[in-house]
Amino acid sequence: AQSVAQPEDQVNVAEGNPLTVKCTYSVSGNPYLFWYVQYPNRGLQFLLKYITGDNLVKGSYGFEAEFNKSQTSFHLKKPSALVSDSALYFCAVRDMGAGKSTFGDGTTLTVKP
Amino acid sequence: SAVISQKPSRDICQRGTSLTIQCQVDSQVTMMFWYRQQPGQSLTLIATANQGSEATYESGFVIDKFPISRPNLTFSTLTVSNMSPEDSSIYLCSGLAGLGYENIQYFGAGTRLSVL
């Protein structure tokens, strides 16, 4: 069975500082990993994905994620946080055969001015 | 890309009644899913909606309680039957668009259901 863990319920950073939202995964085969963001009263929006290739993946809104196979991690990063980045972030792993994704519990990111 | 529209966006219902949620996608998607989410919490997969056949339900969810239809590639409905306050939640429709490893999962804005 596949799973993802987001060890932090909440991350607080000051605007302009770098941010990291952590995710670790467990899969039996190749990992297909995703990050989504959810703003209040909205559905989830796709940010980026790792399928294969470069370990550093770039996505929307200046976000990037670093895939680390030895640590089974896929941390989301941004060099300079914006107040508008404040939202709920989900890491997910997809079973490419069944098409179903397993989501982490989510991390609330708060960026303070 | 795909834009997913859900309606209603929210509803307040009485115990024992049923509510049907509609999900419309603006382009063909290969797979459609229905999730449940408590505010600020993770997503729980209810079922995969299969075109022209019975949905595939996850453990803990049954067809009698959550009947699902998907008559074509762009439309699906989820009915929450014989509702109780425990069914109060956000219900999200989702679709996979794109081919193979390039496909991306898109989500509707959700239906906020309160059962009194």
Side-chain angles (χ1 to χ4, degrees):
Chain A
Q2 57 189 27
S3 66
V4 291
Q6 295 180 240
E8 301 159 316
D9 291 336
Q10 186 139 4
V11 170
N12 298 311
V13 298
E15 188 174 31
N17 283 0
L19 69 88
T20 298
V21 182
K22 296 180 180 178
C23 172
T24 59
Y25 66 90
S26 175
V27 298
S28 56
N30 292 323
Y32 300 104
L33 300 162
F34 300 80
W35 276 101
Y36 295 86
V37 59
Q38 186 177 33
Y39 297 99
N41 300 313
R42 302 284 297 275
L44 278 69
Q45 298 177 35
F46 168 78
L47 277 179
L48 50 80
K49 63 181 176 181
Y50 173 83
I51 304 296
T52 186
D54 291 341
N55 291 339
L56 186 64
V57 179
K58 294 188 181 297
S60 306
Y61 313 120
F63 284 94
E64 57 191 28
E66 186 171 10
F67 171 72
N68 188 315
K69 187 174 183 178
S70 63
Q71 297 185 4
T72 62
S73 66
F74 189 55
H75 300 332
L76 181 69
K77 300 182 178 183
K78 188 173 183 180
S80 178
L82 300 173
V83 172
S84 57
D85 293 329
S86 299
L88 181 58
Y89 289 81
F90 290 100
C91 181
V93 60
R94 187 187 299 172
D95 178 339
M96 295 303 284
K100 298 187 297 184
S101 293
T102 302
F103 290 84
D105 289 338
T107 298
T108 299
L109 172 67
T110 302
V111 181
K112 298 184 178 179
Chain B
S1 65
V3 176
I4 298 182
S5 303
Q6 276 184 246
K7 59 181 181 182
S9 59
R10 59 178 63 233
D11 208 340
I12 301 173
C13 301
Q14 296 297 319
R15 181 195 300 259
T17 62
S18 298
L19 175 71
T20 295
I21 303 168
Q22 297 182 3
C23 176
Q24 179 72 57
V25 190
D26 69 343
S27 59
Q28 290 185 0
V29 291
T30 53
M31 300 183 76
M32 294 183 74
F33 307 95
W34 287 97
Y35 291 87
R36 188 166 68 182
Q37 182 188 27
Q38 295 297 329
Q41 297 186 23
S42 189
L43 283 67
T44 300
L45 181 63
I46 297 172
T48 302
N50 301 310
Q51 184 197 357
S53 64
E54 188 174 296
T56 304
Y57 290 85
E58 298 299 305
S59 176
F61 298 96
V62 295
I63 187 172
D64 290 346
K65 177 66 176 178
F66 298 101
I68 290 171
S69 77
R70 186 183 175 192
N72 56 52
L73 288 174
T74 62
F75 185 78
S76 178
T77 66
L78 167 73
T79 299
V80 186
S81 303
N82 188 24
M83 289 183 285
S84 67
E86 291 71 35
D87 295 319
S88 298
S89 189
I90 301 168
Y91 292 85
L92 293 167
C93 174
S94 175
L96 275 179
L99 297 176
Y101 295 152
E102 295 304 314
N103 59 24
I104 292 173
Q105 192 166 1
Y106 296 89
F107 289 82
T111 297
R112 287 179 172 265
L113 172 62
S114 296
V115 184
L116 305 178

